[in-house]
């Protein structure tokens, strides 16, 4: 028995070196779905073993966590936080203020500016307070700019002047220890959007508004231009803020060609590029890299965008590590 135990622990040790999370010096995360965590053992095992940070894919968003004006539903968010704690991971909060996945009662809300502010402040502070000390960082505001750099029209922009700064302040009041992020996508190839975000950061910093991090979602695809991605990273790093690649996936079939058959090499190379570029960020600014869900099967690109022939992550639909996973581990082991 002892021998078997010894052999098992040796093999765990050997394999441990092959885990992606063990060859990166920063947090490696995934967003997760609580139903899959509860019901699907293979999913749960990967989520448990492969990552050191966790994000709720949907269950901390306004629509799910605050379904009625006088009711919050923390049940699913709590399940994810409990899982993260049990398996020794950091929990990242996503997201307090967004134009999407807003409950109907908020859309129907009536009131003057003061009433809107009180409503949003109550939302932010109740959620942040509930998770105080258990969630390390928050995506406070998500996706506020359009590709042309203008402020995205939304409930919040329409009713609350300066809602971004106010949201950061309210979140900070509720948990002064939380790392507070502005999170957005698609700055690569959209220089005006990138500039708007950099201007926002500079403005908040000048006004001493507590912003601590920039989330670059990194929903990219095999045609994304490396020089553009690198430019976004470099400019973001220059703000001095923590940088989170917060929702990484690499689409291989962005035009949803029904005849598409999976070809790994361009994707593998781009994953390597992304990890290499992240590795070059000063360590104190590395909040981590988070994948947007765990396996190709669970990706929002298949579900939300209805692209069945999409393979954007590092685990396949049978919950097996893809070639890209091994390529990345191999690259990172030798890059050390
Ligand atoms: C997506 C989820 O993955 C889907 O399940 C949901 O239906 C819609 O939202 N940017 C974000 C995330 O900040 O919250 C989005 O998540 C993906 C784009």
């Amino acid at each position: 028995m002892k021998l078997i135990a010894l052999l098992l622990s040796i093999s765990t040790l050997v394999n441990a070196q092959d885990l992606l999370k063990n060859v990166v010096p920063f947090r490696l995360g995934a967003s997760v779905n609580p139903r899959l965590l509860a019901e699907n053992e293979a999913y749960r095992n990967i989520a448990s073993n492969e990552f050191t940070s966790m994000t709720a894919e949907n269950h901390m968003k306004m629509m799910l966590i605050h379904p009625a004006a006088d009711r919050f539903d923390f049940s699913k968010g709590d399940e994810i936080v409990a899982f993260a704690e049990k398996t020794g991971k950091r929990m990242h909060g996503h997201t307090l203020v967004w134009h999407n996945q807003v409950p109907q009662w908020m859309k129907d809300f009536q009131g003057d500016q003061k009433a809107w502010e009180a409503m949003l402040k109550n939302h932010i502070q109740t959620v942040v307070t509930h998770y105080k000390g258990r969630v390390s960082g928050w995506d406070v505001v998500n996706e506020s700019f359009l590709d042309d750099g203008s402020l995205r029209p939304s409930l919040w922009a329409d009713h609350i002047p300066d809602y971004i700064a106010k949201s950061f302040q309210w979140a900070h009041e509720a948990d002064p220890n939380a790392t507070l992020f502005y999170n957005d996508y698609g700055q690569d190839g959209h220089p005006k959007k990138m500039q708007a975000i950099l201007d926002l950061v500079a403005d908040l910093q000048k006004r001493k508004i507590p912003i601590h991090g920039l989330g670059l979602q990194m929903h990219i695809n095999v045609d994304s231009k490396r020089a553009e991605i690198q430019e976004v990273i470099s400019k973001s790093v220059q703000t001095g803020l923590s940088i989170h690649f917060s929702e990484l996936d690499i689409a291989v079939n962005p035009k949803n060609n029904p005849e598409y058959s999976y070809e790994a090499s361009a994707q593998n190379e781009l994953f390597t590029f992304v990890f290499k570029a992240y590795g070059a960020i000063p360590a104190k600014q590395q909040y981590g890299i988070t994948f947007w869900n765990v396996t190709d099967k669970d990706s929002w690109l298949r579900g939300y965008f209805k692209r069945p022939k999409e393979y954007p992550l590092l685990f396949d639909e049978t919950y097996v590590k893809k070639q890209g996973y091994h390529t990345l581990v191999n690259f990172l082991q030798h890059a050390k």
Side-chain angles (χ1 to χ4, degrees):
M1 274 315 274
K2 273 198 176 143
L3 183 65
I4 293 176
L6 182 68
L7 286 176
L8 272 178
S9 66
I10 289 174
S11 82
T12 321
L13 266 181
V14 171
N15 289 333
Q17 307 218 328
D18 294 336
L19 292 183
L20 182 56
K21 69 173 181 185
N22 292 336
V23 294
V24 291
F26 45 79
R27 296 274 177 170
L28 192 70
S31 75
V32 290
N33 171 311
R35 187 181 50 77
L36 290 171
L37 271 188
E39 293 173 7
N40 184 324
E41 194 184 354
Y43 182 93
R44 183 166 60 245
N45 285 340
I46 299 178
S48 173
N49 297 332
E50 295 282 346
F51 303 102
T52 52
S53 180
M54 212 95 287
T55 304
E57 185 182 15
N58 287 301
H59 286 80
M60 292 188 182
K61 294 172 182 171
M62 285 172 156
M63 194 170 80
L64 293 174
I65 214 165
H66 199 171
D70 56 357
R71 193 165 68 82
F72 286 83
D73 178 358
F74 294 113
S75 57
K76 296 294 166 191
D78 288 357
E79 275 181 30
I80 299 172
V81 173
F83 176 82
E85 286 173 347
K86 198 174 72 190
T87 56
K89 301 182 207 327
R90 176 187 69 189
M91 188 70 208
H92 178 71
H94 174 81
T95 175
L96 297 168
V97 184
W98 193 25
H99 65 279
N100 247 333
Q101 291 180 279
V102 173
Q104 192 57 43
W105 73 266
M106 283 188 187
K107 294 184 187 162
D108 296 340
F109 188 79
Q110 299 288 329
D112 59 9
Q113 185 190 323
K114 259 185 128 174
W116 275 91
E117 289 188 359
M119 184 266 271
L120 184 59
K121 179 178 179 185
N122 176 56
H123 171 79
I124 292 173
Q125 297 201 328
T126 305
V127 175
V128 173
T129 301
H130 179 83
Y131 288 114
K132 188 174 177 178
R134 301 175 78 194
V135 162
S136 312
W138 279 102
D139 294 332
V140 177
V141 179
N142 200 29
E143 304 181 352
S144 288
F145 294 98
L146 297 176
D147 290 349
D148 67 4
S150 61
L151 192 67
R152 183 192 293 276
S154 71
L155 275 187
W156 317 115
D158 288 351
H159 296 282
I160 307 179
D162 205 20
Y163 79 95
I164 301 178
K166 287 171 184 158
S167 298
F168 276 89
Q169 217 130 28
W170 293 327
H172 185 67
E173 279 167 27
D175 184 355
N177 294 320
T179 309
L180 303 183
F181 287 84
Y182 175 79
N183 193 51
D184 214 327
Y185 68 94
Q187 296 93 321
D188 54 304
H190 298 108
K192 289 190 173 148
K193 183 176 196 174
M194 174 171 71
Q195 197 52 50
I197 294 167
L198 296 170
D199 291 348
L200 168 77
V201 171
D203 176 59
L204 295 180
Q205 288 175 326
K206 199 175 85 205
R207 293 160 63 196
K208 304 259 184 299
I209 304 286
I211 178 170
H212 314 114
L214 263 184
L216 310 179
Q217 293 184 8
M218 290 286 170
H219 293 297
I220 56 179
N221 67 70
V222 286
D223 300 323
S224 299
K225 305 234 171 14
R226 291 174 188 209
E228 291 175 355
I229 295 173
Q230 187 56 60
E231 167 92 349
V232 175
I233 298 170
S234 305
K235 288 264 167 67
S236 301
V237 167
Q238 281 167 24
T239 63
L241 298 179
S242 269
I243 306 296
H244 185 198
F245 289 0
S246 54
E247 307 185 9
L248 175 61
D249 48 24
I250 302 182
V252 286
N253 182 17
K255 302 223 168 81
N256 196 18
N257 170 7
E259 312 298 325
Y260 177 81
S261 93
Y262 181 55
E263 216 281 284
S265 61
Q267 186 186 45
N268 294 352
E269 282 169 26
L270 197 51
F271 269 126
T272 305
F273 167 80
V274 167
F275 273 71
K276 193 174 167 188
Y278 194 80
I281 294 175
K284 65 174 191 335
Q285 285 175 268
Q286 289 175 334
Y287 186 79
I289 296 185
T290 295
F291 290 92
W292 207 239
N293 221 317
V294 174
T295 81
D296 287 344
K297 187 180 175 179
D298 315 308
S299 164
W300 72 308
L301 299 181
R302 287 200 186 180
Y304 182 78
F305 279 112
K306 306 205 169 36
R307 282 156 46 187
K309 297 250 166 125
E310 192 45 90
Y311 308 83
L313 294 164
L314 290 180
F315 295 85
D316 72 17
E317 48 263 290
T318 65
Y319 295 86
V320 170
K321 289 173 192 184
K322 288 159 62 175
Q323 191 197 335
Y325 183 105
H326 302 292
T327 307
L328 204 46
V329 169
N330 195 32
F331 167 78
L332 292 163
Q333 279 170 338
H334 293 98
K336 274 186 178 175

